Amino acid sequence: MKTISSLLIIISLLGFTNGYSQANNLTGSPYSLFGLGNEGNSNVGKNTGLGKSGIASDIESNINIYNSALFATIPKNRFLFDIGFTGEINYISNGKDNEYRGAGNFSSVSIAFNPNGKYGMGFTLMPATNVGYALIGVETEIEGSEQSYISNINGLGGLNTLRFDYGRSMSEKLNIGVNLSYLFGKIEENEMIILSNSQLKINKANYYRGVQFGLGLQLRQKNYNLGFVFDSPVLLSAYKDTHTTKNSDSDVLIVDKTLNESIDDFILPMELKFGINTTVIKKLALSLDYKRRFWDMTDQSDNIGHYTDQNVVGIGVEYVNNKNSFKYWKRINFRAGYNFDSGYLEIDHRKISNNSFSLGLGFPLGHNNLTHLNFSYTYGKSGTTKGILVEQNFNTININLSLSDIWFQKRKYN
């Protein structure tokens, strides 16, 4: 089993690296134009099927990166691996015109382990934000004249996070944890200006990088768990490359090329998170999370909108009839969730809020109930057709292979 696990990890990492090399396009949302893009709808393990909740939930066979203290709950000698895929279809409307957009790719890869029952740790690579917008037929007036030109603009890329989590058990009722994340990425904007007898192509690539640390706490009681998380603000240093070319008939002329140009740093806000997980009845678990991101403290502005504090609420329920049953259907995990995000950007005096509902299934692979194939479907809505905004309805499917195996045991016989 351990050999099979290792082969699956190597194959998945190769596929995941190839997916990231394809620009990591995981969204078609027009609202990814603002800031550094949209927060991803993908995640590790089963959390997307639970309304993105789980700050206080133990880790058994599915990795949970919402709270570093939870890594102390990984069973002794257990090795966990998770690889994810996300597909998204957006229906966008401004009240008059409608459009469908789609995107999909590998979304996350994560490993975690607990070698001795005292502490657990893990490494995760996944998107932090996603950019994937397209503006077709944008008309711009030429300053100082009555003439105008038409351009097509598209953006892609986003931020990625490489995260390390460490959780340690201090007592039967207390776990603490720390995490360290390296955020990095590229956001590209390609603009094609259509002139009477030529085309002007402008490529701008903004590069960002920074480090974030966080602290986690889990309090375990008989019938419920509590979770608390603090994530530090992040100063993302940035620079820009610009490449402008002019196409006229069969000639291509480089008009301008600028490398490593300094641009304004971007600040991601401090976050505070609270969660509770409890067993309502013997077979039904409930999780409730609240998060607040303090955007006002960053003192940032945008040409189009204003940054404001963000509130996020996630609710999830999970039902398992009998995880040790010989009947397969009784071991299937049934999940449902709701997530409300107040949004962090105010445009035309309106905040871009987000509501979403999710359903999930966890299919056990094998009789030991350790490995799962997790499916989740999320339907959500953001924005509005009022004013200059657009309404976005999105459908997201997440697939995660969550592999669990027993490692770190010494051989009794050679």
Side-chain angles (χ1 to χ4, degrees):
M1 178 66 181
K2 192 177 295 185
T3 303
I4 296 174
S5 303
S6 302
L7 288 173
L8 280 172
I9 292 170
I10 294 170
I11 293 170
S12 300
L13 285 173
L14 289 173
F16 187 74
T17 303
N18 181 58
Y20 260 59
S21 68
Q22 299 169 11
N24 191 24
N25 188 14
L26 288 171
T27 187
S29 170
Y31 289 117
S32 65
L33 167 68
F34 307 115
L36 299 181
N38 290 345
E39 181 183 358
N41 286 319
S42 59
N43 213 294
V44 174
K46 63 183 182 180
N47 298 87
T48 50
L50 297 169
K52 298 183 181 179
S53 65
I55 291 173
S57 304
D58 289 351
I59 298 177
E60 294 182 3
S61 57
N62 292 275
I63 300 174
N64 182 350
I65 63 170
Y66 284 169
N67 184 347
S68 55
L70 305 179
F71 282 74
T73 67
I74 299 174
K76 181 180 179 181
N77 297 329
R78 191 68 56 83
F79 179 89
L80 306 176
F81 169 73
D82 187 279
I83 181 79
F85 174 86
T86 296
E88 180 181 289
I89 297 177
N90 292 280
Y91 174 74
I92 302 163
S93 173
N94 62 3
K96 296 180 181 179
D97 301 317
N98 305 315
E99 182 181 348
Y100 283 96
R101 295 179 186 173
N105 213 322
F106 287 99
S107 58
S108 62
V109 63
S110 184
I111 61 173
F113 51 90
N114 188 332
N116 58 13
K118 297 179 181 179
Y119 67 88
M121 63 178 64
F123 297 88
T124 301
L125 175 64
M126 65 183 297
T129 66
N130 299 311
V131 175
Y133 60 86
L135 306 173
I136 308 299
V138 179
E139 185 175 358
T140 305
E141 293 184 357
I142 299 176
E143 187 176 352
S145 72
E146 297 181 356
Q147 296 180 337
S148 62
Y149 61 88
I150 301 297
S151 61
N152 298 327
I153 305 171
N154 67 79
L156 70 159
L159 288 185
N160 305 308
T161 178
L162 179 60
R163 173 177 171 134
F164 167 73
D165 287 275
Y166 176 88
R168 190 170 189 89
S169 177
M170 306 303 292
S171 68
E172 292 184 359
K173 296 185 177 181
L174 176 63
N175 295 317
I176 62 173
V178 295
N179 68 75
L180 185 67
S181 298
Y182 175 61
L183 295 133
F184 64 98
K186 177 177 71 170
I187 297 177
E188 285 190 74
E189 183 175 270
N190 298 294
E191 181 177 8
M192 177 180 288
I193 299 174
I194 304 172
L195 304 173
S196 57
N197 57 355
S198 62
Q199 294 178 342
L200 195 65
K201 295 182 180 180
I202 304 173
N203 173 266
K204 299 177 182 178
N206 294 352
Y207 298 85
Y208 298 91
R209 60 183 179 184
V211 176
Q212 181 182 47
F213 73 91
L215 303 173
L217 182 72
Q218 185 197 36
L219 299 176
R220 299 164 57 88
Q221 303 297 320
K222 183 177 180 181
N223 297 318
Y224 64 92
N225 296 334
L226 297 176
F228 306 90
V229 174
F230 163 80
D231 285 331
S232 70
V234 187
L235 177 64
L236 296 170
S237 60
Y239 66 93
K240 178 176 68 174
D241 292 343
T242 305
H243 190 207
T244 304
T245 59
K246 184 178 180 180
N247 295 354
S248 179
D249 296 329
S250 59
D251 296 329
V252 178
L253 176 65
I254 298 177
V255 178
D256 180 53
K257 186 176 182 179
T258 306
L259 301 177
N260 300 322
E261 180 184 357
S262 179
I263 58 176
D264 291 339
D265 296 335
F266 195 93
I267 303 174
L268 294 177
M270 178 183 75
E271 297 183 37
L272 292 179
K273 309 174 187 180
F274 308 91
I276 183 171
N277 176 267
T278 183
T279 302
V280 182
I281 57 177
K282 187 176 182 181
K283 302 174 183 179
L284 186 69
L286 170 68
S287 55
L288 173 64
D289 290 358
Y290 170 74
K291 309 172 188 177
R292 186 171 179 86
R293 299 185 174 108
F294 295 87
W295 283 97
D296 281 344
M297 295 175 62
T298 65
D299 195 28
Q300 292 181 120
S301 61
D302 192 282
N303 293 331
I304 300 177
H306 170 69
Y307 291 97
T308 114
D309 285 353
Q310 181 181 13
N311 298 296
V312 182
V313 177
I315 303 172
V317 292
E318 182 175 30
Y319 173 82
V320 184
N321 189 303
N322 183 357
K323 65 179 182 179
N324 298 315
S325 175
F326 288 102
K327 296 181 179 179
Y328 184 79
W329 69 269
K330 287 188 175 183
R331 293 187 284 125
I332 296 176
N333 295 249
F334 297 89
R335 305 171 186 129
Y338 168 76
N339 185 276
F340 169 75
D341 184 343
S342 70
Y344 66 91
L345 195 62
E346 188 177 280
I347 301 175
D348 195 24
H349 305 292
R350 294 181 177 89
K351 291 190 72 173
I352 305 173
S353 61
N354 183 319
N355 288 273
S356 63
F357 297 88
S358 57
L359 295 173
L361 291 170
F363 295 101
L365 304 179
H367 296 289
N368 57 15
N369 209 43
L370 296 180
T371 297
H372 288 82
L373 188 60
N374 293 308
F375 290 87
S376 68
Y377 165 75
T378 301
Y379 169 77
K381 177 182 175 181
S382 61
T384 176
T385 55
K386 297 179 181 179
I388 63 172
L389 301 179
V390 297
E391 182 180 282
Q392 172 191 344
N393 293 270
F394 57 89
N395 299 268
T396 305
I397 292 178
N398 288 281
I399 302 174
N400 288 80
L401 174 61
S402 299
L403 180 70
S404 178
D405 200 2
I406 297 175
W407 286 20
F408 310 109
Q409 288 185 328
K410 294 182 179 180
R411 292 184 178 181
K412 294 184 178 180
Y413 304 99
N414 291 323

